[in-house]
Amino acid sequence: MNDLLWIIPAAPLAGFTALALAGRRLPHAAAATVGVGSVGVSAILSFLIGGLFLLYPPQDHAVIQSLWTWMNVAGFAPAVAFRLDLLSLLMILVITGVGFLIHLYSAEYMRGDEAFSRFFAYMNLFVSMMLILVLADNLALLYLGWEGVGLCSYLLIGFWSDDPANGAAARKAFIVTRVGDTAMAIGLFLLFTQLGTLDIQTMMQRATQQWPAGSGLAVAAAALLLIGALGKSAQLPLQTWLPDAMAGPTPVSALIHAATMVTAGVYLIARTNVLFTLAPVVQSLVAIIGSATLLLAGCSALVQTDIKRVLAYSTISQIGYMFLALGIGAWQAAMFHFMTHAFFKALLFLGAGAVIISLHHEQNMLKMGGLRRQLPVTFWTFLIGACSLSALPFVTAGYYSKDMILHEAWTSGPAGLLPWMAGVAGAFLTGLYCFRMVFIVWFGEAKTGATRAPGWAIHIPLVLLAILSIAGGFIKIPAMLGQVGSDGSVGPVGSEWIFQITALGFPLLGIGLAYTLYMRPRRLAQTRLQRPILDGIRRWWFVGWGFDWLYDRLFVMPFLRIARANRDDAADLIYQGIARLNLALHRALRATQSGQVRWYAAGIALGAAIILGIVVVT
């Protein structure tokens, strides 16, 4: 069965090829069958191979399938090889499982779109590139998948290209993530020149042997990889592209946020954790960036009016939790939250999409309200997703994964105190902005009536993701509930109760404040939060703390001024000089063609005299 590992990324790639070649000639039903079915094949194989992997663990707990040598140049010979271990297994299960549900949902959501086949072609390519990224056994192949998901994000964010704003959002995502990608490429050059390989396991072994902890080379390599991770995972200061990425269709937003692109940076740091352990300064920086990002993004989510932008800032904040965990060395906690986040964030985006298409593509929450009676299935599943995102204690997956991160920070000593405080404050903000969204969209008086009821292709993914958003947390439960370790012992429960009482109160406090502001009475939020100072803060948070304004003035405007000043490119002066010299020579030669015989005779005589003179001299 392990010999079929290559089919997992190959199946959606084959779906992309078929859809790209067929183009618009393929009927919608056939395009949906190919698009959804190819990812379904990957999902089935992932679960079968994963089940065998867990039942019969291979030697060294890893399976490596090498297909061929990609290139062989001066000792650089990366292979097209896939590695299946516990980390990559978790990733492919989430990518293919959640990805399949999103594709199934898309079959109804995108129905009637004139570019239906092209949409599924891009989505298939997106999934394939992400699978290559997480299965790659070397950083060269990983980088191929890394750039592949960047290309697909550009194609899908700007999918509805008739609107110039969508094209601008796609270009912004592509350019901002290129900053991180460039740093990552430099990091790969550094690793290969210093360690002689890009094979991940060999590279980490050599790094441990050759680089002492805190060495300059280890710090430089880890810092460059971190910048790459910041771009893909939309963390400070490269987070500005993600809210604008909501220009793409809602299934695209779900795929980017839940199962693919924004988790690539988390995976990269977890996969190369040895390098970050050798660079403790950079690892601490990961925790600091994650802590700051989760708070800033949470504040911005509080004031958004577009339902998809609330979820976008929420994603930035939740990825911040994962970075916080990575920064304190809680690798398992980070990946646990990655899994639960994929469930409830996909659920929330798909639920938001069901609302949007039911309201003629209306995304402004202030024009919604009272929809729980009109869309009951969507309401209850969305509510489950909101509870999981808010870490409602004991009954949601999000509670257990977030609790694990906060517990790791709590028990990591003085270095974990500030990350723990940031995580607790972020939990309060999450409960507040999440249930602000719930109360505005689903309760109160109806402002816009739903005119289109979602079908089974939308309801089935919502229900399944709702189940996972609850049951997914029981894979790993806190010690206070009697977690049994590998040796059969029960974890300590003493200080855990104190920690739990402190930590679980903040999400409930946020939910309670949201209820007070937006439900009892609903006008309270409008009267208490419209003061001049608060309004100024609201507008500042609304524009993402002004990062776009700052970057426009630091980078975009100076570049445009230089481009205008250098409209006639300096490099063109060389070629313009050559052209002018040729024109001058042409005019000089043209002057010799006067049509007068005596000038021709004189020229012949002068030439003969010069030739004779040369002969005599030599």
Side-chain angles (χ1 to χ4, degrees), residues 12 75 141 161 225 227 454 556:
L141 187 60
S161 56
L225 293 184
I227 297 172
V556 178

Side-chain angles (χ1 to χ4, degrees), residues 554-564:
L554 287 180
F555 303 110
V556 178
M557 291 181 180
F559 181 83
L560 291 176
R561 283 195 289 269
I562 293 171
R564 283 191 291 268

Side-chain angles (χ1 to χ4, degrees), residues 134-485:
V134 300
L135 285 171
D137 190 42
N138 60 77
L139 290 177
L141 187 60
L142 184 150
Y143 194 70
L144 172 67
W146 188 273
E147 291 297 333
V149 297
L151 169 64
C152 293
S153 69
Y154 169 79
L155 296 173
L156 286 167
I157 293 169
F159 181 76
W160 286 323
S161 56
D162 293 341
D163 187 347
N166 296 343
R171 291 192 299 273
K172 182 178 181 181
F174 194 77
I175 293 169
V176 172
T177 55
R178 288 290 76 71
V179 175
D181 296 353
T182 302
M184 182 179 172
I186 297 172
L188 299 189
F189 295 146
L190 173 64
L191 288 169
F192 180 74
T193 55
Q194 297 300 317
L195 301 177
T197 184
L198 288 181
D199 177 82
I200 295 173
Q201 303 305 314
T202 306
M203 177 199 69
M204 291 195 291
Q205 291 174 1
R206 292 181 183 178
T208 303
Q209 296 167 358
Q210 299 178 23
W211 293 346
S215 69
L217 288 173
V219 169
L224 289 167
L225 293 184
L226 172 59
I227 297 172
L230 296 179
K232 276 290 187 288
S233 291
Q235 298 292 284
L236 285 170
L238 301 178
Q239 82 287 2
T240 57
W241 67 270
L242 192 57
D244 290 347
M246 298 302 96
T250 300
V252 173
S253 303
L255 193 61
I256 290 176
H257 288 248
T260 55
M261 185 168 172
V262 296
T263 60
V266 177
Y267 171 79
L268 176 66
I269 296 176
R271 175 58 78 190
T272 58
N273 63 83
V274 170
L275 294 177
F276 289 86
T277 304
L278 293 173
V281 173
V282 180
Q283 186 172 345
S284 298
L285 184 60
V286 175
I288 293 171
I289 291 173
S291 300
T293 303
L294 74 89
L295 292 175
L296 267 64
C299 290
S300 290
L302 276 175
V303 297
Q304 301 301 312
T305 57
D306 185 317
I307 187 172
K308 288 177 65 176
R309 289 181 74 89
V310 174
L311 296 175
Y313 278 109
S314 169
T315 297
I316 298 173
S317 182
Q318 296 304 305
I319 298 293
Y321 272 104
M322 300 176 207
F323 270 67
L324 185 158
L326 295 169
I328 60 175
W331 317 107
Q332 185 180 6
M335 299 314 298
F336 185 30
H337 194 56
F338 150 76
M339 181 188 71
T340 61
H341 176 263
F343 298 151
F344 62 71
K345 189 51 61 68
L347 172 58
L348 288 169
F349 265 110
L350 297 186
V355 172
I356 290 168
I357 61 171
S358 298
L359 302 180
H360 298 288
H361 292 276
E362 178 60 66
Q363 297 183 197
N364 189 341
M365 294 192 303
L366 302 182
K367 297 181 180 180
M368 301 177 187
L371 293 174
R372 69 185 188 280
R373 295 186 181 89
Q374 301 177 53
L375 304 171
V377 175
T378 306
F379 164 67
W380 286 109
T381 54
F382 192 93
L383 182 61
I384 290 172
C387 290
S388 191
L389 171 58
S390 302
L392 194 69
F394 306 122
V395 295
T396 61
Y399 163 73
Y400 292 111
S401 60
K402 194 174 293 185
D403 173 85
M404 189 176 180
I405 292 174
L406 294 177
H407 184 263
E408 292 284 352
W410 175 264
T411 58
S412 61
L417 179 59
L418 287 178
W420 179 82
M421 293 174 64
V424 170
F428 166 76
L429 289 172
T430 304
L432 179 56
Y433 72 67
C434 192
F435 273 82
R436 167 184 176 265
M437 175 176 59
V438 169
F439 293 142
I440 290 176
V441 173
W442 299 102
F443 292 85
E445 60 185 51
K447 297 182 177 65
T448 305
T451 58
R452 175 181 170 184
W456 66 269
I458 287 179
H459 282 159
I460 288 177
L462 292 179
V463 172
L464 292 177
L465 288 168
I467 294 171
L468 291 171
S469 295
I470 295 175
F474 295 101
I475 296 173
K476 182 76 175 178
I477 59 177
M480 66 164 292
L481 297 182
Q483 175 189 354
V484 179

Side-chain angles (χ1 to χ4, degrees), residues 84-115:
L84 183 68
D85 54 19
L86 289 175
L87 178 58
S88 58
L89 175 60
L90 173 64
M91 296 296 295
I92 64 171
L93 291 177
V94 171
I95 292 167
T96 58
V98 176
F100 170 74
L101 295 177
I102 294 172
H103 276 69
L104 178 61
Y105 175 100
S106 302
E108 180 174 335
Y109 188 92
M110 298 299 293
R111 187 176 58 200
D113 194 289
E114 61 180 11

Side-chain angles (χ1 to χ4, degrees), residues 490-506:
V490 178
V493 298
S495 63
E496 189 78 8
W497 282 104
I498 300 174
F499 161 75
Q500 288 289 349
I501 292 171
T502 304
L504 65 81
F506 280 84

